[in-house]
Amino acid sequence: MKTSIVRPTQYRSGEITNQSRRGFSSYAKALIVSVFSGLMLTVASVSVQADPELPQYSGKARLGTQTCGGSTCHGAAKPWANSAVLQNEFVTWSTDDPHSGAYDALSSDRGKRIAKNLGIEDARQEEACLDCHTDNVPKELRSKNFDVADGVGCESCHGGAVEWLGLHVSGFGQREDYLNAGIYPTEDPKARAKLCLSCHLSDPRKSITHRIMGAGHPRLAFELDTFTANQPAHYRIDADYKQRKQQSSGVKVWAVGQAMAAQITVEALMDKNRNSAGIFPELFYFDCYACHHSMEEPRWQKRESVNIGPGVPRLNDSNLVMLRVLANAVDESMSARLLEQTRALHESSSKGQEATLRALADLSTTVDALVETFASTEFDVTAMWKIYDSLVAEGLKGEFIDLITAEQATMAIGSVLAAIEMTGADADLNGYNEALLKAYAAIDNSKTYTPAKYTAALQSLAAARQ
Ligand code: HEC
Ligand code: HEC
Ligand code: HEC
Ligand code: HEC
């Protein structure tokens, strides 16, 4: 369901365009219906397996996107009136969803340039690129209808259909039966975070490095709830959906996404295989703009949570900063511990590898616990407003001066406002859009970004609350 809160419609490192979603009044009607049916039906939803294997590595054979996209299956031109699901998922995916063009991107001008700079003849033949730009399963799992050129298709996210298609077509299966037959639980926040982050951040089995960035790959900026809202929706969360599947607020999706992104980053930094090449650690996990900015105007400023001086490269701690704000709403001592451990990690960078690994191990325990905490927390409207207020307050204290953190904070604020609107508790949040747009404008371009502009946007976000 769309809300009237603005979200960037496209998110490319340094290039963000915004568009206001459809107006509030048409939204409010839909909301009333769904809130009531939600109350009646949530008990029936099915909880899912704790830690399912990613579709790419689950060993289930692929039938191919075309198989899902038949005109009597998910390839209808328009949504069906009386079907549980929309039935036009294929059309939405193939015409509006960038995932259907992910393979073609490898032979675009940019794709070719990246390949050339890396000494790769054709990126479409390169495992390192295919792992994220298509459904790169072993050859023996590809049926004759499977086409690698389909890019990130249905089975990349929903799992190889070989075992669940029969059940599916028969119309007999319950949700549990599907999950047992290998369908991936995309509705579960943890499972979804694991899936999306495996391509939008990293996965130990895939290769994404500063070397690939240096060759011209766009910087990966990801926030689970915002990107969920931005992926053109090929599903509808209605009464029927709620009966079949668990549902989570956008704040929970954001929270779990942040905790798991922090977890992936911490694990990557502890992984010797990904950090032993040459004199530098893997710079992919550092704050890009700590190094990449003009020297004409010095921009270093002190931040409470970064107790290292100027001239030291900083890890990208944007997810950790968001986590701290979130933890504060659930458990203040956790938040304090996170601050202490983040500071220890930053400090360790000038104390050698052993100190760094120790700091990472401590942080890892806290972050793992937070993943579980957020996955089992329901945030009510009071908690959501508390998070909004802490986000703005931390920002005004100067915690978000780094562009990558400001970017995460802006998506977070958008996510929290949209989630509040979804609850129906506060009638009109349109007044926040102007301030939110100001925040998006401030982070729109890395060349013109200044902490002062972002602070002004935060002041407007604080004022909108009055
Ligand atoms: C860890 C997963 C991952 C790997 C590995 C990866 N990419 Fe990407 N790539 C992405 C994601 C995610 C995006 C979209 C970023 C965004 O817009 O947020 C992207 C975007 C791109 C784009 C821009 C697409 C557009 O529409 O503008 C090109 C070109 C590209 N990648 C080429 C490559 C090449 C060539 C390789 C191999 C050297 C590669 N990628 C490896 C995940 C990956
Ligand atoms: C990038 C990942 C991704 C791709 C690619 C993708 N989906 Fe989905 N799909 C999702 C997510 C996320 C949801 C929403 C969560 C859920 O209901 O499981 C979803 C939901 C659905 C639903 C459930 C609707 C409901 O009411 O239960 C159907 C049906 C569906 N997708 C079909 C498809 C088909 C067909 C394709 C290919 C044409 C496709 N999807 C491609 C991620 C994806
Ligand atoms: C198999 C790898 C893979 C998975 C899994 C995946 N993505 Fe993507 N995603 C990509 C690539 C590659 C692109 C860039 C495609 C292009 O522009 O050519 C992309 C693009 C996007 C975009 C458009 C970004 C922009 O710049 O506007 C959104 C939104 C998005 N993905 C959301 C999601 C969500 C939400 C999930 C999880 C449900 C997900 N993705 C899972 C690889 C993946
Ligand atoms: C510790 C400092 C440091 C960090 C952090 C860092 N880089 Fe770099 N980057 C470098 C150096 C050094 C070079 C090589 C110098 C050159 O080619 O001009 C480079 C080169 C590049 C280039 C090629 C520049 C060109 O002129 O073509 C790109 C693009 C790039 N980095 C992107 C990134 C991204 C994206 C990130 C964050 C994920 C990042 N860098 C993080 C130091 C850093």
Side-chain angles (χ1 to χ4, degrees):
M1 193 194 297
K2 299 267 170 65
T3 60
S4 61
I5 295 300
V6 288
R7 296 287 179 95
T9 49
Q10 246 228 339
Y11 214 101
R12 288 281 144 82
S13 40
E15 312 150 34
I16 308 156
T17 47
N18 310 286
Q19 189 187 304
S20 191
R21 298 290 195 184
R22 82 189 147 102
F24 185 75
S25 54
S26 63
Y27 162 74
K29 274 189 228 113
L31 186 75
I32 292 161
V33 176
S34 65
V35 166
F36 282 106
S37 47
L39 285 178
M40 290 184 292
L41 298 168
T42 41
V43 263
S45 68
V46 179
S47 63
V48 302
Q49 198 191 327
D51 191 17
E53 180 55 289
L54 287 175
Q56 188 172 342
Y57 305 107
S58 63
K60 304 280 191 227
R62 297 323 204 232
L63 300 179
T65 299
Q66 303 297 334
T67 308
C68 315
S71 62
T72 54
C73 302
H74 297 289
K78 292 212 177 81
W80 287 9
N82 49 10
S83 165
V85 304
L86 295 173
Q87 309 293 159
N88 69 336
E89 295 83 2
F90 182 81
V91 177
T92 305
W93 170 81
S94 59
T95 54
D96 297 330
D97 192 327
H99 292 113
S100 60
Y103 178 84
D104 296 334
L106 298 178
S107 55
S108 65
D109 289 346
R110 188 170 193 168
K112 284 185 186 141
R113 199 174 128 229
I114 300 170
K116 185 163 165 266
N117 290 346
L118 293 170
I120 295 170
E121 196 171 327
D122 184 351
R124 292 172 299 180
Q125 306 289 331
E126 184 65 35
E127 295 294 321
C129 310
L130 293 170
D131 271 344
C132 296
H133 284 262
T134 189
D135 193 9
N136 196 27
V137 291
K139 301 280 178 293
E140 65 274 15
L141 295 180
R142 300 177 180 189
S143 80
K144 65 179 189 322
N145 285 332
F146 178 89
D147 188 351
V148 71
D150 284 339
V152 180
C154 319
E155 291 168 293
S156 308
C157 292
H158 294 295
V162 69
E163 286 167 29
W164 55 260
L165 186 74
L167 195 65
H168 194 58
V169 175
S170 74
F172 282 115
Q174 296 299 315
R175 191 69 190 146
E176 284 104 330
D177 304 324
Y178 282 111
L179 295 168
N180 290 335
I183 211 163
Y184 190 80
T186 37
E187 75 275 24
D188 176 63
K190 255 171 75 182
R192 189 189 305 167
K194 183 175 167 179
L195 170 70
C196 312
L197 287 166
S198 72
C199 294
H200 284 270
L201 178 56
S202 69
D203 180 275
R205 293 160 286 191
K206 302 186 182 191
S207 161
I208 188 83
T209 55
H210 180 252
R211 198 167 160 263
I212 293 178
M213 298 285 125
H217 196 281
R219 176 169 67 83
L220 299 184
F222 189 78
E223 188 280 289
L224 186 60
D225 186 58
T226 304
F227 274 60
T228 295
N230 283 358
Q231 184 191 357
H234 54 270
Y235 52 88
R236 186 171 44 201
I237 299 179
D238 53 13
D240 163 81
Y241 179 100
K242 287 177 184 163
Q243 190 169 30
R244 289 178 287 116
K245 288 179 169 175
Q246 78 177 79
Q247 245 216 308
S248 309
S249 73
V251 169
K252 183 170 180 159
V253 172
W254 164 57
V256 172
Q258 290 300 314
M260 290 191 64
Q263 197 176 38
I264 289 171
T265 304
V266 167
E267 277 166 16
L269 290 166
M270 293 200 295
D271 181 350
K272 289 217 170 72
N273 291 330
R274 281 185 279 174
N275 278 293
S276 53
I279 53 170
F280 289 118
E282 177 44 63
L283 295 180
F284 177 76
Y285 301 101
F286 281 68
D287 182 334
C288 315
Y289 301 113
C291 297
H292 292 286
H293 61 76
S294 137
M295 285 185 285
E296 309 304 320
E297 274 184 60
R299 58 167 81 185
W300 189 85
Q301 281 183 35
K302 196 167 166 46
R303 252 175 59 193
E304 188 196 356
S305 59
V306 190
N307 49 337
I308 46 175
V312 185
R314 280 186 307 280
L315 284 164
N316 176 357
D317 64 352
S318 57
N319 301 126
L320 292 170
V321 175
M322 292 303 109
L323 271 191
R324 218 172 57 236
V325 176
L326 267 161
N328 198 40
V330 186
D331 175 352
E332 284 177 20
S333 67
M334 199 83 149
S335 180
R337 192 178 331 145
L338 206 52
L339 175 61
E340 204 180 292
Q341 291 177 340
T342 307
R343 287 168 62 105
L345 176 64
H346 283 301
E347 257 180 334
S348 75
S349 64
S350 47
K351 291 185 181 163
Q353 205 189 13
E354 217 173 284
T356 306
L357 286 174
R358 235 185 352 258
L360 285 165
D362 290 344
L363 202 48
S364 171
T365 313
T366 309
V367 171
D368 289 352
L370 281 173
V371 170
E372 299 314 321
T373 304
F374 295 145
S376 59
T377 301
E378 296 307 329
F379 298 89
D380 61 14
V381 178
T382 313
M384 292 183 193
W385 278 122
K386 187 173 173 196
I387 292 169
Y388 178 92
D389 292 336
S390 324
L391 278 168
V392 174
E394 283 289 300
L396 288 171
K397 262 167 53 191
E399 276 300 288
F400 308 159
I401 52 179
D402 295 318
L403 173 55
I404 292 183
T405 313
E407 181 180 77
Q408 281 296 335
T410 310
M411 290 193 277
I413 291 169
S415 169
V416 173
L417 288 172
I420 292 172
E421 197 180 320
M422 285 280 214
T423 66
D426 291 81
D428 190 349
L429 299 183
N430 266 328
Y432 287 81
N433 275 334
E434 199 182 320
L436 190 55
L437 277 170
K438 213 162 146 183
Y440 274 119
I443 59 169
D444 192 36
N445 185 325
S446 65
K447 282 198 220 106
T448 54
Y449 172 76
T450 64
K453 267 195 233 171
Y454 196 66
T455 303
L458 287 167
Q459 277 156 352
S460 303
L461 285 161
R465 186 87 165 90
Q466 309 298 302

